[in-house]
Amino acid sequence: MTITVIPRHPALGAEVRGIDMRRPMDAATRQQVIDAWTRHLVLVFPDQQISDEEHVEFTREFGEPEIFLQTSLKLRSERVKEIFLVSNVDEQGRLMTPAEPSQKQLSSAQQWHTDSSYRPVPSTGSLLHGIEISRTGGLTQFINMYMVWDELPEALRRQVEGRRARHDFGMMARLVGSPPPSGAERAAMPPVWHPLVRRHPVSGRTSLYISSIYNDAVEGMEDGAARRLIEELTAFAAQPKYMYRHAWEPHDVLMWDNRCTVHAVTPHDPAERRVMHRTTIVGSDPVIAA
Ligand code: OGA
Ligand code: MN
């Protein structure tokens, strides 16, 4: 099988045709997908009418699917444990209100971040399946953090080079006012430190590594100054020339690289159902400082 790869934006993002996620891939096709992913950072697979089980199986082509460590808010599917529910509809089909704790926590995804950066070995990538998509917003936006590093102004570069930032799962709750993690969840997800400038294990390229919903400290800086630095870096990164904005069609599956991109979703009308299922690939290497 030969795939067709059509870029969607000069910075990142490409559509991939010729894949049916319900069927096993041969090794050559799998390598073509990985090569396209390494080059374009975000892949769009249109029209994939997959079950959650097929979603998980496809994910296994690229690594072990992560199991979300927080159980209190029912964001992990009770049916298929590897599925993370990015949804305003619960598994019984009930539309939830924005005031509900799980929805408050999910609202943090409107700020730029990379998934599971609070883990000692952060995730390689994520695959998001649009089951019921929004027409009033809910665009998922991605930034090429290699380009951001390459073009980062000297004054900002000097502040991040050789430094590490802390990533704390609990920071997200402080940011959006969702319930703080329990003692057991904090014990399972203690804060971790990662280099702010990293080298990608496959491409060998250097990128800026920030995750604004989790970063609560920077080495050698007072906490207020650290937060301001993260915000300044995030604002520099969020320029249209570095950004692909994905407008969803039903049964698109997006696969993004968490090592060299950040993403954020735009708001949508909460009266509209939006049901997206995500798998997350467990990382294979600790973050390599560049
Ligand atoms: C995610 C996420 C974006 C979206 O699934 O990791 O941040 O479009 N969601 O809902
Ligand atoms: Mn995310």
Side-chain angles (χ1 to χ4, degrees):
M1 193 190 266
T2 300
I3 62 169
T4 306
V5 180
I6 307 148
R8 288 262 183 121
H9 188 279
L12 78 169
E15 177 179 332
V16 177
R17 295 197 191 146
I19 294 287
D20 180 346
M21 291 187 186
R22 295 170 303 189
R23 317 225 175 288
M25 266 189 299
D26 58 55
T29 306
R30 181 174 161 280
Q31 192 56 50
Q32 286 178 40
V33 171
I34 291 172
D35 292 346
W37 198 36
T38 304
R39 178 152 178 207
H40 298 285
L41 322 189
V42 177
L43 300 181
V44 179
F45 299 90
D47 199 24
Q48 303 290 336
Q49 311 243 351
I50 48 170
S51 66
D52 286 341
E53 288 81 1
E54 287 161 341
H55 183 165
V56 172
E57 278 320 297
F58 185 77
T59 303
R60 284 191 197 285
E61 299 281 356
F62 308 98
E64 189 61 30
E66 180 176 303
I67 297 171
F68 191 48
L69 292 168
Q70 181 196 41
T71 50
S72 49
L73 296 184
K74 301 209 160 152
L75 289 168
R76 181 168 114 192
S77 166
E78 284 175 353
R79 296 185 186 138
V80 178
K81 65 181 186 309
E82 296 89 350
I83 295 285
F84 179 85
L85 304 167
V86 184
S87 177
N88 63 357
V89 177
D90 70 17
E91 284 195 298
Q92 284 68 48
R94 182 183 61 94
L95 181 70
M96 293 183 274
T97 72
E100 290 180 50
S102 69
Q103 298 306 297
K104 269 196 164 163
Q105 182 166 313
L106 284 181
S107 75
S108 67
Q110 293 174 22
Q111 302 186 45
W112 294 100
H113 67 281
T114 170
D115 297 331
S116 298
S117 69
Y118 53 81
R119 291 192 171 215
V121 176
S123 154
T124 300
S126 302
L127 291 94
L128 187 61
H129 175 204
I131 297 170
E132 292 184 52
I133 57 103
S134 169
R135 296 283 184 204
T136 66
L139 277 76
T140 311
Q141 316 172 104
F142 297 89
I143 292 173
N144 179 333
M145 298 301 276
Y146 295 132
M147 290 178 75
V148 169
W149 170 251
D150 288 344
E151 297 180 12
L152 198 66
E154 191 53 38
L156 284 172
R157 239 178 212 249
R158 272 201 306 273
Q159 293 183 74
V160 296
E161 248 165 351
R163 277 205 168 124
R164 296 183 307 168
R166 193 164 64 187
H167 299 242
D168 181 4
F169 181 77
M171 173 67 190
M172 176 176 46
R174 297 196 290 279
L175 207 59
V176 297
S178 55
S182 66
E185 287 165 353
R186 282 204 310 277
M189 296 177 275
V192 297
W193 291 87
H194 296 305
L196 277 159
V197 187
R198 69 180 292 179
R199 189 169 314 288
H200 194 288
V202 180
S203 71
R205 294 181 65 191
T206 302
S207 68
L208 180 68
Y209 190 54
I210 52 175
S211 199
S212 75
I213 64 173
Y214 301 123
N215 289 140
D216 68 340
V218 172
E219 253 172 2
M221 290 183 91
E222 167 276 308
D223 283 357
R227 276 303 301 174
R228 286 193 295 278
L229 173 61
I230 297 297
E231 278 159 24
E232 210 181 329
L233 292 164
T234 303
F236 177 82
Q239 299 187 56
K241 62 181 171 180
Y242 306 136
M243 192 187 303
Y244 169 61
R245 306 180 81 222
H246 184 70
W248 289 85
E249 289 299 327
H251 298 293
D252 283 343
V253 174
L254 260 59
M255 172 167 160
W256 64 83
D257 192 324
N258 282 316
R259 300 165 292 189
C260 54
T261 66
V262 292
H263 60 276
V265 61
T266 65
H268 70 103
D269 178 356
E272 181 186 44
R273 293 164 63 100
R274 184 172 188 265
V275 179
M276 324 283 278
H277 286 186
R278 194 186 85 201
T279 53
T280 317
I281 307 165
V282 173
S284 47
D285 319 84
V287 178
I288 307 163

